Amino acid sequence: MTLHIFNPENDLALACPSPHFIPPASARQMADDLSALPVWWAMRGDAVCVASVEAARRWAEETGGICPEVKWVGRDGLPSDADVAPWGWSPLMVQRLLTGGADRSRLPDEARLARYRELSNRRHAVDMLAYLCGSGSDLGQKWRDRLCGVSYYCTGEQDIIQRMRQYPETLLKAPWSGSGKGLRLGRGGYVPPLSGWCGRQLREQGGVIVEPVYNKVSDFALEFYADGAGGVRYTGLSVFLTTARGTYAGNWVASEEDKVRWLTDRIPLLLWQMLKTAVTHYLADWLGNGYNGHLGVDMMLCRVPGAEYLCVHPCVEINLRRTMGQVSVDLASFLAPSSEARFVIDYEKEAGRLWSEHCRCEEAHPLCLREGKLLQGYLPLVPVTPSAHYRAALWVSPKGRRCPVV
């Protein structure tokens, strides 16, 4: 049996790696409201840790039989005989598991946690991008005119200033951060408050990543699983949308064939095949036996001045944890062959608004199943209560409509 836990504060906990780190209230609220989300990738008979066992059981019974059968457990009574699979690993996650009764021998030790954190540093995405676009890779040699992207890991203020001056507009990133919070636009030059933010990152995290801003057309990602023994397996393509601030907003849920067709309508098929192969091999060499679990590599389709075609930015981020893109890949298995869906995480500051919207959606878009698969309608992927501020939901529709997220 595997115990699944949704801990969306993982990236924040890596930025401040104390086992006693207290996540912001918004992250704690999201973890509570969406705690049942792992049921959609759990195996039958697994356990899922939730904020309310009673609410999870009642919701699962109301999903029309589509929800997998799992054991719901509370946070203070974790099974000690289970393997543990959180959203991501951090010292905070291990401390919570120990407090809840988990078996210490089944959890990563301090050395492995330190390795996970080091691998999660954004400077590794800088290295991966340079390799994929460079002449040292088959991908870079053959497709350099269809690739774009440069990124710099800076360890001093003068280095940051120099890189910012190279481009009309830049994006600056902290080595560790979560949900777009560690990003700053480099407009206006190296002046306060940006200079103060950079100085803080240099002192606390050792560096700042600087890269030009691209004319992005679409976001997508390649999802993988690392077995911890040097093997990396491609698990699927994810196509997603972001808000104007760059934070995650949703995913297109469809078959792998449909998503690959969408991508290869925009770039050559051979480029896609070589991209997937190159990234898989790079990850296997880089990770070795240092990481076991899901991960995703975020990419972009961009317009480049002077080019009549779209270019691929092959490594925007490396997310060394399960991702919402992987969730969308997992959700595709619940769809009827004739359907596609839009997967969305939404937020309302005022309690009660999501509940009202949830009730409206259930009435206006009733869920329809065919042979145990989702055919059409609205499906809340977690319990939605009057006190909820976050919701995960799926809107299912027949194929043939324009993809709702691209």
Side-chain angles (χ1 to χ4, degrees):
M1 177 176 69
T2 299
L3 170 66
H4 299 272
I5 302 174
F6 180 60
N7 56 313
E9 75 284 352
N10 181 74
D11 293 355
L12 296 172
L14 289 176
C16 183
S18 166
H20 307 294
F21 169 67
I22 301 176
S26 58
R28 301 197 303 272
Q29 183 72 53
M30 185 180 191
D32 285 347
D33 290 347
L34 306 185
S35 61
L37 191 61
V39 71
W40 300 106
W41 59 85
M43 301 294 289
R44 183 172 182 174
D46 282 352
V48 176
C49 180
V50 289
S52 170
V53 171
E54 181 182 351
R57 285 175 178 164
R58 186 168 56 248
W59 159 77
E61 292 172 356
E62 296 171 351
T63 58
I66 194 72
C67 183
E69 294 181 11
V70 299
K71 179 181 179 181
W72 303 105
V73 298
R75 290 169 177 164
D76 55 355
L78 303 180
S80 60
D81 60 344
D83 294 325
V84 184
W87 184 257
W89 282 111
S90 68
L92 173 64
M93 185 75 261
V94 169
Q95 182 62 40
R96 285 180 174 175
L97 288 165
L98 292 173
T99 302
D103 182 353
R104 184 68 181 86
S105 67
R106 293 177 178 268
L107 307 178
D109 59 20
E110 290 186 6
R112 182 156 286 268
L113 288 172
R115 177 64 172 155
Y116 286 175
R117 182 175 189 266
E118 196 282 325
L119 290 170
S120 298
N121 190 317
R122 281 191 172 110
R123 70 181 179 85
H124 292 294
V126 175
D127 296 338
M128 182 174 172
L129 176 63
Y131 172 77
L132 293 174
C133 292
S135 59
S137 72
D138 291 342
L139 179 72
Q141 289 179 19
K142 183 172 180 59
W143 295 103
R144 188 64 193 94
D145 64 328
R146 296 299 299 260
L147 301 173
C148 66
V150 291
S151 187
Y152 307 96
Y153 182 70
C154 303
T155 57
E157 288 191 322
Q158 291 305 312
D159 195 9
I160 295 172
I161 293 169
Q162 177 187 348
R163 296 303 182 185
M164 288 180 64
R165 286 175 175 169
Q166 289 181 234
Y167 306 98
E169 190 173 21
T170 53
L171 181 67
L172 285 70
K173 302 177 180 179
W176 292 279
S177 67
S179 302
K181 296 183 184 300
L183 309 181
R184 294 292 187 276
L185 281 174
R187 292 172 180 162
Y190 194 76
V191 295
L194 179 64
S195 58
W197 179 86
C198 289
R200 186 166 64 254
Q201 305 312 315
L202 292 171
R203 290 191 304 273
E204 297 177 358
Q205 298 194 17
V208 171
I209 291 88
V210 180
E211 56 193 43
V213 173
Y214 293 92
N215 183 6
K216 179 180 68 176
V217 175
S218 299
D219 292 283
F220 67 101
L222 274 60
E223 309 296 337
F224 299 90
Y225 181 81
D227 63 13
V232 172
R233 170 174 54 88
Y234 169 77
T235 60
L237 173 66
S238 63
V239 181
F240 60 98
L241 63 86
T242 58
T243 67
R245 291 189 172 187
T247 55
Y248 170 84
N251 265 86
W252 178 34
V253 181
S255 68
E256 178 73 2
E257 293 76 15
D258 286 345
K259 289 179 290 187
V260 170
R261 188 178 303 113
W262 169 86
L263 183 59
T264 54
D265 281 345
R266 291 155 175 80
I267 64 172
L269 174 62
L270 183 58
L271 170 55
W272 155 244
Q273 293 170 335
M274 291 187 67
L275 175 66
K276 182 171 66 171
T277 299
V279 174
T280 304
H281 290 168
Y282 183 93
L283 292 173
D285 291 342
W286 169 54
L287 293 174
N289 62 359
Y291 176 73
N292 174 224
H294 285 276
L295 68 149
V297 179
D298 292 347
M299 305 182 182
M300 298 187 296
L301 292 179
C302 303
R303 297 194 187 281
V304 176
E308 298 179 355
Y309 41 73
L310 295 178
C311 291
V312 176
H313 187 307
C315 185
V316 178
E317 299 274 0
I318 306 171
N319 295 302
L320 211 68
R321 52 168 169 75
R322 188 178 285 273
T323 67
M324 289 300 177
Q326 181 61 51
V327 177
S328 72
V329 171
D330 296 331
L331 286 169
S333 65
F334 294 91
L335 293 178
S338 61
S339 298
E340 62 182 359
R342 181 166 52 100
F343 166 47
V344 171
I345 305 289
D346 46 9
Y347 168 78
E348 284 288 351
K349 183 176 181 180
E350 184 180 330
R353 285 193 173 183
L354 270 184
W355 170 251
S356 299
E357 173 64 8
H358 162 71
C359 294
R360 186 195 68 78
C361 289
E362 285 198 315
E363 183 175 350
H365 308 283
L367 189 64
C368 180
L369 304 179
R370 175 183 290 170
E371 298 179 351
K373 298 289 187 177
L374 297 168
L375 185 66
Q376 188 168 325
Y378 161 75
L379 174 67
L381 296 170
V382 296
V384 182
T385 67
S387 62
H389 293 270
Y390 290 89
R391 172 182 61 169
L394 205 60
W395 278 266
V396 187
S397 60
K399 285 184 181 179
R401 300 179 184 177
R402 182 174 175 79
C403 173
V405 297
V406 292

